[in-house]
Amino acid sequence: MPGELFRRLVAAAGPVWPAYTRHEFVLRLARGDLPEAAFRRYLVQDYLFLLHFARAWGLAVYKSDTLAEMRRAQRLVAATLDVEIGLHIDYCRAWGLSEAAMVVEPEAMQTVAYTRFVLDRGLAGDRLDLEVALAPCVVGYAEIAAERMADPATRRDGNPYREWLDMYAGDEYQDLAREAAAALDARFAARGGEGRVPALAASFATAARLEADFWQMGLDAAR
Amino acid sequence: MPGELFRRLVAAAGPVWPAYTRHEFVLRLARGDLPEAAFRRYLVQDYLFLLHFARAWGLAVYKSDTLAEMRRAQRLVAATLDVEIGLHIDYCRAWGLSEAAMVVEPEAMQTVAYTRFVLDRGLAGDRLDLEVALAPCVVGYAEIAAERMADPATRRDGNPYREWLDMYAGDEYQDLAREAAAALDARFAARGGEGRVPALAASFATAARLEADFWQMGLDAAR
Amino acid sequence: MPGELFRRLVAAAGPVWPAYTRHEFVLRLARGDLPEAAFRRYLVQDYLFLLHFARAWGLAVYKSDTLAEMRRAQRLVAATLDVEIGLHIDYCRAWGLSEAAMVVEPEAMQTVAYTRFVLDRGLAGDRLDLEVALAPCVVGYAEIAAERMADPATRRDGNPYREWLDMYAGDEYQDLAREAAAALDARFAARGGEGRVPALAASFATAARLEADFWQMGLDAAR
Amino acid sequence: MPGELFRRLVAAAGPVWPAYTRHEFVLRLARGDLPEAAFRRYLVQDYLFLLHFARAWGLAVYKSDTLAEMRRAQRLVAATLDVEIGLHIDYCRAWGLSEAAMVVEPEAMQTVAYTRFVLDRGLAGDRLDLEVALAPCVVGYAEIAAERMADPATRRDGNPYREWLDMYAGDEYQDLAREAAAALDARFAARGGEGRVPALAASFATAARLEADFWQMGLDAAR
């Protein structure tokens, strides 16, 4: 069954995982009562985040051993630069945030921490280390949105954040996340071994913790 | 005038530059009397070369400071993986070389030397170092093909290598090379300074020398 | 006069610089009324910080163009691993913190943010980028300690943090910082240019901001 | 038994391994009838090689996960920069080659190929990839010298290359090589898995092939 490594990493992360995926930011977003200031802060920083995310997939192109691995990394650079950043810019515009305003915004410490942690894992380690550090984001967002959409407490009508939930709960993103989880297994088969699991689990848990800090940064902006 | 840094680097390389751009391999290819064995050897190794070339542009995505720089590097990953490798595979097939056969061929020392030299310049240095090390290839091939097509000694009709010359002398590739030369100037404006010129010139000259060794590897296969 | 680039970067950082060098943590440490919990938190995270700091100088060995540059980076790896971490461990022991306890402590987000930011600057850019990102720490600590020791408000007798101030205000560390500032100038002469200054200044300011966040993390532990 | 991974890699390399370790250059060096021009060429290029070798161990400092791994990499940077390059310079001086003359010598393609291949393996992969690519050199030289010293065909008295054989057959270097082989096993336990063996074996074989090319470059200089 695809996603085996991902599930092991989630299990090993223990309470760190739901502290990220069921963070108050997410629960309130789903209920529709997240303060707008929190969401705006998140949107701006997520734009800055995506720039480094695209750099991480560029690094994965460099770290590829085969043409197939290279093409997958290339697709994810394209998904980030051509689709996700584009959607993000459109979406932010609807929230009154222009790209010009976002690009000059200083990166929050939380944005720096998670993005550079991922890049360092990718450069100090190999492509498996890189993809494991990216997984809480790539695969985690799909899990978060799916879980929220299945929750009766989630407000569907009149929720100002509905579009966000629909995007990540939608088929396209869910497929991308499933492929990413399957790619983790393929990478683990090619480059893994039980000896690596503790270090990979520690790295995954740190990434999840830094993602939770990222949500918290949004909430803090509303105080 | 665009291409100023490129012209300085060519001038600084002295006789190393024409030893590459007017290498016997190139002159005989243009006259149509290059031994087939030499060209086949070149084709196979150039396929392996392109895989690392795509990795170098992936690295450039990682090493980008702005979205515009990232998108340019992304276009060059795509140009390599989607267009150039594709054309190469088609072209090689016409010469009786299948992709399956090429992918298992061991890399020649000459292929290793130039490709890994470029990647090391890119990782040890910055994006300017990377693009300077790539320039003898990216911009050099356009100069080589244009120069040959302008030479009366070049055989146009019945030249088995005519397609190769047309591809690199064609508008599409000439535009790509002009943009690459302009990008070198832009990068030098943003990250350069006269103090860097000697090291950049040394790196460019080494890259040109390794490219000449690459032609020679082709010729040697015909002995 | 040595340290010219450093002074330009400090000037360009504006109020970000004193917000780091005269952070409340530092002022209270000098007055001797910093809560012990704040200092302990700082000590543990600084130990984890130093491990990545040594990695950064290892990276500088890789990024060296000459034997002299390599030997300087090697000396800084040794200064970190053989001297600074050793002193730190001794010092922490006196504060009741064992190395075994520190090594299993999770890295604070603030520690991740600054250390990985530095490493990313070093890998995405060149050695000048790396040393500029390290400068707020290497040169900044010398400035901080010297400034505090020259301040009449600093309590010398009976200050529980006196040893920390003495270490960084001492000749050995002040020399190391002076050399680091001179090395920045040498690197700028070899690899710089006015075009690079805005990006270097932005990187320096971000590093200083992340250092201030690191002090704040200490203070927050005492709340 | 230490060295298990190393022995698997040697076995997988098949005839590529003795083509390196029993290369004509080595056999003639042991018999004492290697042309001086061949040895001089080797010495100069080996000096240039060692500079990149030190960079590779600097990279290993960066790629360390623990303080123990970092200290081992640091010792190898020191062994290269403080001991091996120093001995090399002394030794070369006895052969009439000054350091000033060597440092301006252009790198041979063979030197570029092996050194940059190693660095790329280290950056594209993880520390296991890096150490496997270094092993044909680090561990291989010990095997080469020990094997030659045990061979009755080796001329001990009056062999102008006796000092070279003694250095690499001596206890100090043999210990260093044994530790390197043991470190490979430790790294494989921590980061390996059977799935990695084919790629590691391919990388090891390429490195051994590039080392054989390096000997051949020496011989070619005597023609």
Side-chain angles (χ1 to χ4, degrees):
Chain A
M1 189 164 73
E4 190 186 330
L5 178 60
F6 181 75
R7 277 189 300 276
R8 287 183 71 178
L9 297 171
V10 166
V16 168
W17 187 250
Y20 156 49
T21 58
R22 296 174 196 168
H23 190 277
E24 189 190 343
F25 182 99
V26 172
L27 302 182
R28 296 185 67 181
L29 182 149
R31 290 195 310 255
D33 66 0
L34 180 73
E36 266 196 37
F39 194 65
R40 272 177 210 282
R41 173 73 165 154
Y42 161 79
L43 280 183
V44 170
Q45 292 298 319
D46 202 41
Y47 168 80
L48 300 172
F49 175 96
L50 285 172
L51 299 177
H52 297 285
F53 202 73
R55 293 176 63 217
W57 288 113
L59 185 59
V61 171
Y62 165 68
K63 291 180 91 81
S64 296
D65 285 325
T66 64
L67 194 49
E69 283 184 25
M70 234 186 279
R71 290 199 201 274
R72 195 179 98 78
Q74 183 200 9
R75 277 197 303 276
L76 284 150
V77 171
T80 311
L81 290 183
D82 303 340
V83 183
E84 210 164 354
I85 286 188
L87 285 175
H88 207 83
I89 291 170
D90 291 348
Y91 191 53
C92 291
R93 200 177 297 123
W95 281 81
L97 296 160
S98 73
E99 187 180 7
M102 291 192 292
V103 89
V104 296
E105 190 76 13
E107 276 185 275
M109 177 178 44
Q110 290 81 352
T111 312
V112 174
Y114 181 39
T115 55
R116 304 320 194 276
F117 174 78
V118 166
L119 292 167
D120 179 45
R121 277 307 81 206
L123 278 152
D126 62 5
R127 189 157 161 180
L128 175 58
D129 289 296
L130 178 59
E131 297 203 25
V132 162
L134 286 161
C137 176
V138 181
V139 190
Y141 264 47
E143 180 178 317
I144 287 168
E147 202 175 74
R148 280 313 106 218
M149 290 308 267
D151 183 353
T154 291
R155 184 172 139 210
R156 287 155 182 270
D157 297 334
N159 183 335
Y161 310 114
R162 174 70 191 270
E163 211 179 327
W164 189 95
L165 288 164
D166 283 343
M167 178 165 71
Y168 291 110
D171 286 349
E172 199 176 346
Y173 194 81
Q174 294 286 322
D175 284 350
L176 185 150
R178 243 188 312 273
E179 278 169 38
L184 280 183
D185 290 337
R187 221 108 287 153
F188 189 72
R191 305 193 55 94
E194 284 308 305
R196 291 191 69 169
V197 174
L200 293 173
S203 173
F204 184 86
T206 298
R209 190 160 53 85
L210 295 169
E211 280 276 29
D213 291 336
F214 197 84
W215 295 136
Q216 190 57 44
M217 164 201 68
L219 277 194
D220 289 348
R223 276 189 192 148
Chain B
M1 189 164 73
E4 190 185 333
L5 178 60
F6 181 76
R7 277 188 301 275
R8 287 183 70 178
L9 297 171
V10 165
V16 167
W17 187 248
Y20 156 49
T21 59
R22 296 174 196 166
H23 189 278
E24 188 190 342
F25 182 99
V26 173
L27 301 183
R28 295 185 66 181
L29 182 149
R31 289 194 312 251
D33 65 1
L34 180 72
E36 267 195 38
F39 193 64
R40 270 176 213 282
R41 174 71 166 158
Y42 161 79
L43 280 183
V44 170
Q45 291 298 318
D46 202 42
Y47 169 80
L48 300 172
F49 174 96
L50 285 171
L51 299 176
H52 297 286
F53 202 73
R55 295 175 61 217
W57 288 112
L59 184 60
V61 172
Y62 164 68
K63 291 181 91 84
S64 296
D65 286 324
T66 64
L67 195 48
E69 282 185 25
M70 233 186 282
R71 289 200 201 273
R72 195 180 99 78
Q74 183 199 10
R75 277 198 303 276
L76 282 151
V77 172
T80 310
L81 290 183
D82 303 340
V83 183
E84 209 165 353
I85 286 187
L87 285 175
H88 207 84
I89 291 170
D90 292 348
Y91 191 53
C92 290
R93 199 178 297 122
W95 280 82
L97 296 161
S98 73
E99 188 179 6
M102 291 192 291
V103 88
V104 296
E105 190 75 14
E107 276 186 276
M109 175 178 46
Q110 289 82 354
T111 311
V112 174
Y114 181 39
T115 54
R116 305 320 195 277
F117 174 78
V118 165
L119 292 166
D120 178 47
R121 277 309 80 205
L123 278 152
D126 63 5
R127 189 157 162 181
L128 176 58
D129 289 298
L130 177 60
E131 297 204 23
V132 161
L134 286 161
C137 176
V138 181
V139 190
Y141 264 48
E143 180 178 316
I144 286 168
E147 201 174 76
R148 281 312 105 218
M149 290 308 266
D151 182 353
T154 292
R155 185 172 137 208
R156 288 155 183 269
D157 296 334
N159 183 336
Y161 310 114
R162 174 68 189 272
E163 213 178 324
W164 190 95
L165 288 163
D166 284 345
M167 179 164 72
Y168 291 110
D171 285 350
E172 200 177 344
Y173 194 82
Q174 294 286 322
D175 284 351
L176 185 149
R178 244 187 312 272
E179 278 169 37
L184 280 183
D185 290 337
R187 221 106 289 150
F188 189 73
R191 302 192 58 92
E194 285 306 306
R196 291 190 71 169
V197 174
L200 293 173
S203 173
F204 183 86
T206 298
R209 190 160 54 86
L210 296 169
E211 279 277 29
D213 290 336
F214 197 84
W215 295 135
Q216 189 59 43
M217 165 201 68
L219 275 194
D220 289 348
R223 272 178 198 158
Chain C
M1 188 163 72
E4 190 186 330
L5 178 60
F6 181 76
R7 277 189 301 276
R8 288 183 70 178
L9 297 171
V10 166
V16 168
W17 188 249
Y20 156 48
T21 58
R22 296 174 196 167
H23 190 277
E24 189 190 343
F25 182 99
V26 172
L27 301 182
R28 295 185 67 181
L29 181 148
R31 290 195 310 255
D33 65 1
L34 180 72
E36 265 196 38
F39 194 64
R40 271 176 212 281
R41 174 73 166 155
Y42 161 78
L43 280 183
V44 170
Q45 291 298 319
D46 202 42
Y47 168 80
L48 299 173
F49 175 97
L50 284 172
L51 299 177
H52 296 285
F53 202 72
R55 294 175 63 217
W57 288 113
L59 185 59
V61 172
Y62 165 68
K63 291 181 91 80
S64 297
D65 286 325
T66 64
L67 194 47
E69 281 184 26
M70 234 186 281
R71 288 198 202 276
R72 194 179 100 78
Q74 183 200 9
R75 277 197 303 277
L76 284 151
V77 171
T80 311
L81 290 183
D82 303 341
V83 183
E84 209 164 355
I85 286 187
L87 285 175
H88 207 83
I89 291 170
D90 291 348
Y91 191 53
C92 290
R93 199 178 297 122
W95 281 81
L97 296 160
S98 74
E99 187 180 7
M102 291 192 292
V103 89
V104 297
E105 190 76 13
E107 276 185 275
M109 177 178 43
Q110 290 82 352
T111 312
V112 174
Y114 181 39
T115 55
R116 304 321 195 275
F117 174 78
V118 166
L119 292 167
D120 179 46
R121 278 307 82 206
L123 279 152
D126 62 7
R127 189 157 162 180
L128 176 58
D129 289 297
L130 177 60
E131 297 204 23
V132 162
L134 286 161
C137 176
V138 181
V139 190
Y141 264 47
E143 180 178 316
I144 286 168
E147 201 174 74
R148 280 313 107 218
M149 290 308 267
D151 182 353
T154 292
R155 184 171 139 211
R156 287 156 182 270
D157 297 334
N159 183 336
Y161 310 114
R162 173 70 190 270
E163 212 179 325
W164 189 96
L165 288 164
D166 284 343
M167 179 164 71
Y168 291 110
D171 286 349
E172 199 177 345
Y173 194 81
Q174 294 286 322
D175 284 350
L176 185 149
R178 243 188 311 272
E179 277 170 38
L184 279 183
D185 290 337
R187 220 107 288 151
F188 189 72
R191 304 192 56 92
E194 284 308 306
R196 292 191 70 170
V197 173
L200 293 173
S203 172
F204 183 87
T206 298
R209 190 160 53 85
L210 296 170
E211 280 277 28
D213 290 336
F214 197 84
W215 295 136
Q216 191 57 45
M217 164 201 67
L219 276 193
D220 289 347
R223 277 189 193 148
Chain D
M1 187 164 71
E4 190 186 332
L5 178 60
F6 181 75
R7 277 188 301 275
R8 287 183 70 178
L9 297 172
V10 165
V16 167
W17 187 249
Y20 155 49
T21 58
R22 296 175 196 165
H23 189 277
E24 189 190 342
F25 182 100
V26 172
L27 301 182
R28 294 185 67 180
L29 182 150
R31 288 194 313 252
D33 65 1
L34 180 72
E36 268 196 37
F39 193 64
R40 271 176 212 282
R41 174 71 167 158
Y42 161 78
L43 281 183
V44 170
Q45 291 298 319
D46 202 42
Y47 169 80
L48 300 173
F49 175 96
L50 285 172
L51 299 177
H52 297 285
F53 202 73
R55 295 174 62 217
W57 288 112
L59 184 60
V61 172
Y62 164 68
K63 291 182 90 83
S64 296
D65 286 325
T66 65
L67 195 47
E69 282 184 25
M70 232 186 283
R71 289 199 201 273
R72 195 181 99 78
Q74 183 200 9
R75 277 198 304 276
L76 283 151
V77 172
T80 310
L81 289 183
D82 303 341
V83 182
E84 209 165 352
I85 285 187
L87 285 174
H88 208 84
I89 291 170
D90 292 348
Y91 191 53
C92 290
R93 199 179 297 123
W95 280 82
L97 295 162
S98 73
E99 187 179 7
M102 292 191 292
V103 89
V104 296
E105 189 75 15
E107 276 187 275
M109 175 178 46
Q110 290 82 354
T111 311
V112 174
Y114 181 38
T115 55
R116 304 320 194 276
F117 174 78
V118 165
L119 293 167
D120 179 46
R121 277 307 82 204
L123 279 153
D126 63 5
R127 188 157 162 182
L128 176 58
D129 289 297
L130 177 60
E131 297 204 23
V132 162
L134 285 162
C137 176
V138 181
V139 191
Y141 264 48
E143 180 178 316
I144 286 168
E147 201 174 76
R148 281 314 105 217
M149 290 308 266
D151 182 351
T154 292
R155 185 173 137 207
R156 288 154 182 270
D157 297 334
N159 183 336
Y161 311 114
R162 174 68 190 272
E163 212 178 325
W164 189 95
L165 288 163
D166 283 344
M167 179 164 71
Y168 290 109
D171 285 350
E172 200 177 344
Y173 194 81
Q174 294 286 321
D175 284 351
L176 185 150
R178 244 187 311 272
E179 278 169 38
L184 281 183
D185 290 337
R187 220 107 289 149
F188 189 73
R191 303 192 59 92
E194 285 307 305
R196 291 192 69 169
V197 174
L200 293 173
S203 173
F204 183 86
T206 298
R209 191 160 52 87
L210 295 170
E211 279 277 28
D213 291 336
F214 197 83
W215 295 135
Q216 190 59 44
M217 165 202 68
L219 275 194
D220 290 347
R223 273 182 195 154

